[in-house]
Amino acid sequence: MALVTIGLVTWNSASDVARCLDGIRAQQHQPIELLVGDNASTDGTRALLEARTTGAERRFFPVNLGFSAAHNALIRDSRGAYYVTLNPDVVLDAGFVGALVAALDAAPRAGSATGKLRRAEPPGVLDSTGIVMHRSQRHFDRGQYDTPGAVFGVSGAAGCYRRAMLDDVAIDGEVFDEDFFAYREDADLAWRAQLLGWDAIYVPEATAAHVRRVTPERRSALPPAINRYSVRNRFLLRLKNQTAGQAARFAAAGLARDLQVVGYVLAREWRSMPGLVDVVRLLPRTLAKRRAIMARRVRGRSLDAWFT
């Protein structure tokens, strides 16, 4: 069977990482290569990793690189034909990796696959069955679905990617855009992959539990940096990936949402103002990445169906 690399990125994850590692070690699919990148944790995560992983499996980064750069580093070191991104607050059921790999083996144009992620709390609530897009270019995690099939993209909390696709869609060596740092980078990769001709699929037999802490209803309680990244990356996501045709066809919905976001920041969430400044600061690099994507784009208006 194909070698699968599981890339686990941790940051102050001591309360979750042991259960996550148990789920990895229990996977029925073999062989699996585990690579763990720790983003300068200070809460005991590194001691747990030293006790539970080998030296070859660990990468202790001197600073917090964020989700994107840390996974890019692990991808460069990986040897698997498939790469699974995993958050430390996810516990995989034993058949998770095997079900996704079997589905990808049977679908050569599929570059990624997602399973059914359920919320650890409260019981019975679905966390994600793939990424869905709205005409406003907001993206959400899809709820309950039991039928396998195509999706727009997969959640980076526990997504399986074909390594050939990751190599194909990388821009200047970056699979995940490091300007995003964290949050929405999985939607950015999904959109780019769709533009470049790669499909994504949902496999309900692959199941896992996710302790999701970043949700819209908890926004006011989240650290300011998270909300800043969320604001900034919404605009970077569109500037990079939205075609000119989509910008025109979805203008009303997109501009309405933009006004909501900017108005909320100005009226209530002043600490996210740097996120708007970031958009201007990063604009030259973002437009250069856009040009690289659009120069190779093979899909355009056909993607409109995903923006419901």
Side-chain angles (χ1 to χ4, degrees):
M1 290 192 286
L3 172 65
V4 175
T5 300
I6 295 180
L8 172 64
V9 171
T10 57
W11 179 66
N12 291 338
S13 307
S15 61
D16 297 312
V17 72
R19 290 189 299 273
C20 181
L21 289 171
D22 288 342
I24 293 169
R25 301 300 190 195
Q27 288 303 294
Q28 295 166 350
H29 178 94
Q30 293 297 327
I32 283 178
E33 171 189 55
L34 172 62
L35 297 178
V36 184
D38 181 72
N39 274 325
S41 291
T42 58
D43 70 337
T45 298
R46 291 194 168 187
L48 283 167
L49 292 175
E50 286 174 341
R52 298 288 302 269
T53 62
T54 68
E57 292 172 334
R58 295 191 298 271
R59 309 288 188 276
F60 284 173
F61 302 127
V63 296
N64 184 357
L65 300 179
F67 180 101
S68 295
H71 271 296
N72 286 344
L74 298 183
I75 290 168
R76 286 191 291 271
D77 286 350
S78 68
R79 298 178 294 116
Y82 297 103
Y83 182 87
V84 175
T85 55
L86 192 62
N87 283 2
D89 57 1
V90 173
V91 179
L92 304 178
D93 294 336
F96 184 87
V97 170
L100 295 184
V101 168
L104 286 168
D105 281 345
R109 286 308 305 167
S112 58
T114 185
K116 180 184 287 187
L117 306 185
R118 61 187 183 275
R119 293 274 178 94
E121 292 291 339
V125 174
L126 264 291
D127 182 72
S128 179
T129 60
I131 293 172
V132 294
M133 299 294 295
H134 285 203
R135 296 177 75 85
S136 65
Q137 286 81 68
R138 288 185 81 184
H139 61 90
F140 294 90
D141 287 287
R142 192 175 67 157
Q144 176 67 38
Y145 276 85
D146 290 319
T147 304
V151 291
F152 184 79
V154 308
S155 170
C160 185
Y161 297 90
R162 191 185 302 275
R163 177 59 187 269
M165 186 208 81
L166 297 181
D167 292 339
D168 180 56
V169 305
I171 300 175
D172 294 332
E174 294 184 9
V175 171
F176 291 102
D177 189 334
E178 296 181 13
D179 283 335
F180 279 54
F181 188 80
Y183 305 105
R184 304 187 193 273
E185 72 294 310
D186 51 358
D188 172 66
L189 176 57
W191 201 341
R192 188 187 339 143
Q194 288 282 354
L195 286 165
L196 298 184
W198 291 96
D199 299 327
I201 54 177
Y202 166 58
V203 185
E205 295 80 16
T207 56
H210 184 200
V211 182
R212 185 180 290 272
R213 296 183 174 92
V214 178
T215 59
E217 59 270 19
R218 295 190 65 245
R219 185 177 183 91
S220 61
L222 296 174
I226 291 178
N227 291 332
R228 172 185 177 174
Y229 299 147
S230 176
V231 168
R232 177 190 68 194
N233 294 348
R234 165 184 163 75
F235 292 99
L236 298 184
L237 179 70
R238 290 171 59 201
L239 286 166
K240 278 182 63 182
N241 299 296
Q242 187 182 53
T243 67
Q246 285 177 329
R249 290 188 291 276
F250 304 152
L255 290 173
R257 181 59 185 168
D258 289 345
L259 290 174
Q260 287 179 335
V261 171
V262 174
Y264 184 81
V265 170
L266 294 177
R268 296 191 58 184
E269 198 175 271
W270 295 351
R271 291 184 297 180
S272 292
M273 281 290 292
L276 299 177
V277 176
D278 287 344
V279 176
V280 178
R281 176 177 59 84
L282 295 170
L283 186 60
R285 284 211 301 266
T286 301
L287 293 179
K289 294 170 187 176
R290 173 187 176 81
R291 288 191 291 271
I293 295 167
M294 296 304 163
R296 295 185 51 220
R297 176 170 63 89
V298 298
R299 290 174 176 168
R301 186 153 193 158
S302 63
L303 295 185
D304 284 10
W306 288 114
F307 292 79
T308 59

